[in-house]
Amino acid sequence: HVQLVESGGGSVQTGGSLKLSCLISGNTYEDACMGWFRQKQSNERVGLAAIATVSGRTDYADFVKGRFTISRDIAEKKLYLQMNNLKREDTALYSCAADHATADCRPTRGEHRFGYWGRGTQVTVS
């Protein structure tokens, strides 16, 4: 059983930065595809970034490239999302996700291909 718990959200002004964390507990999870998604109001989740935990290979949605950075700490069982130059349109509920399937580890592979989810942390940019 795998549990994901996000933290680090909050309110920030336009142009500011936040670093989100996702703590992974439960079964060992060194070899996985992990990602960050966000959801605005009642819209569907949108993939932002993904990382293959063993290789460290990352991939990003085009609209966050250059502003967001995904990283992981396998020993600490943590996933991070560094967000810089935040804009009002970045306001959303941010969730981390994980899955044992590491092939095609991209944020655009779709939320249905991630089996484990956190509840999310709210980010508000004003």
Side-chain angles (χ1 to χ4, degrees), residues 2 31-33 37 40 52 55 60-61 66 70 74 92 97 99 123-124 126:
V2 176
D31 187 10
C33 174
F37 287 72
K40 299 182 181 182
S55 70
Y60 296 90
I70 189 171
I74 295 176
D99 199 86
V123 172
T124 301
S126 60

Side-chain angles (χ1 to χ4, degrees), residues 11 18-19 22 29 33 37 43 58 61 67 75 80 83 86 95 109 116 119 123:
S11 297
L18 281 175
K19 186 173 184 177
C22 175
Y29 224 79
C33 174
F37 287 72
N43 294 333
T58 59
R67 296 195 301 130
Y80 300 102
M83 304 187 295
L86 284 163
S95 299
R109 81 182 200 179
Y116 302 99
R119 292 188 175 185
V123 172

Side-chain angles (χ1 to χ4, degrees), residues 87-110:
K87 307 174 182 179
R88 288 194 173 207
E89 52 263 41
D90 294 319
T91 295
L93 181 70
Y94 286 71
S95 299
C96 61
D99 199 86
H100 292 290
T102 57
D104 191 30
C105 186
R106 298 179 295 140
T108 52
R109 81 182 200 179

Side-chain angles (χ1 to χ4, degrees), residues 2 6 26 34 66 79 104:
V2 176
E6 302 92 340
M34 301 200 68
L79 180 73
D104 191 30

Side-chain angles (χ1 to χ4, degrees), residues 22-69:
C22 175
L23 177 64
I24 307 130
S25 63
N27 293 341
T28 302
Y29 224 79
E30 289 92 359
D31 187 10
C33 174
M34 301 200 68
W36 285 98
F37 287 72
R38 71 185 183 191
Q39 183 177 25
K40 299 182 181 182
Q41 297 178 330
S42 60
N43 294 333
E44 64 181 27
R45 289 173 178 149
V46 175
L48 306 174
I51 185 168
T53 56
V54 172
S55 70
R57 181 184 177 277
T58 59
D59 194 42
Y60 296 90
D62 287 342
F63 59 90
V64 301
K65 285 180 180 178
R67 296 195 301 130
F68 292 8
T69 303

